Amino acid sequence: EKDWSAQDVSDCWLSQLQGLDHLKAEFIQNNIDFALLSNTNVFTEEFCTTTLGISNKIQAKKLLMARNRLTKSQDEHPAGTVFDSSAERGKNFTFNLGKGAIKAIDLAVRSMRVGERASVVCRSDYGYGSEGLRSSKGDVMVPPFSTLNFELKRVC
């Protein structure tokens, strides 16, 4: 997430915020990448109203609250946090193509040959998206809008 471009912010985050996806063009035009979005000294209510042209203060506050949730989840789950490892469990992750895996894994495995290894980096829209992933107890395993990294080996 921290290396999201303005296009990534627009596609992966802004498009998921109810009633705010109309701001996509302004985000791209003003080059609002993750660094700018997460900078609380720059990305303020005033920035939202003047630079982005949001005249509705409730929408500006909604945008700032969503940004705060995003940056908080990034702080609580820093890059490199392992949320699952079939290697550590000693058991391969199995699934049927087209069912049971996130989009990025499904697409990657479809293109691999048996025995081939791949490193996959996927944006949130190819992973767990705006919902993230929670354990059966409700604990956050993967926060919303997370970019994921996988090391894969196709075994069959």
Side-chain angles (χ1 to χ4, degrees):
E1 300 73 21
K2 295 190 189 287
D3 61 350
W4 277 1
S5 67
Q7 188 70 52
D8 293 334
V9 168
S10 175
D11 291 346
C12 297
W13 181 71
L14 190 62
S15 65
Q16 299 296 314
L17 300 179
Q18 187 176 20
L20 296 174
D21 59 341
H22 67 281
L23 297 170
K24 285 176 146 185
E26 286 84 1
F27 266 64
I28 293 170
Q29 180 182 4
N30 290 288
N31 199 29
I32 300 174
D33 58 8
F34 187 83
L36 185 89
L37 178 67
S38 62
N39 186 333
T40 57
N41 295 319
V42 176
F43 198 85
T44 61
E45 186 174 340
E46 181 181 347
F47 180 89
C48 291
T49 56
T50 56
T51 304
L52 298 178
I54 300 174
S55 58
N56 182 329
K57 289 205 179 240
I58 293 172
Q59 277 196 334
K61 288 185 186 302
K62 181 179 178 180
L63 187 59
L64 293 172
M65 288 180 356
R67 181 276 315 268
N68 292 343
R69 283 192 309 274
L70 176 65
T71 55
K72 181 178 184 238
S73 73
Q74 300 309 310
D75 292 342
E76 291 174 351
H77 297 84
T81 301
V82 176
F83 72 92
D84 187 24
S85 172
S86 58
E88 288 177 10
R89 286 192 317 273
K91 186 176 179 183
N92 292 332
F93 173 68
T94 59
F95 67 98
N96 293 322
L97 285 174
K99 298 177 186 173
I102 61 172
K103 188 175 181 179
I105 299 300
D106 191 71
L107 289 170
V109 171
R110 284 179 188 274
S111 68
M112 295 170 67
R113 290 187 279 276
V114 174
E116 187 175 359
R117 293 181 181 274
S119 293
V120 177
V121 177
C122 72
R123 295 185 334 186
S124 63
D125 53 339
Y126 282 78
Y128 294 104
S130 63
E131 298 299 315
L133 176 67
R134 294 184 177 269
S135 70
S136 59
K137 296 178 183 177
D139 298 325
V140 175
M141 294 174 60
V142 178
F145 304 108
S146 291
T147 297
L148 303 172
N149 297 290
F150 295 96
E151 296 298 322
L152 304 176
K153 179 181 178 186
R154 184 162 183 173
V155 294
C156 64

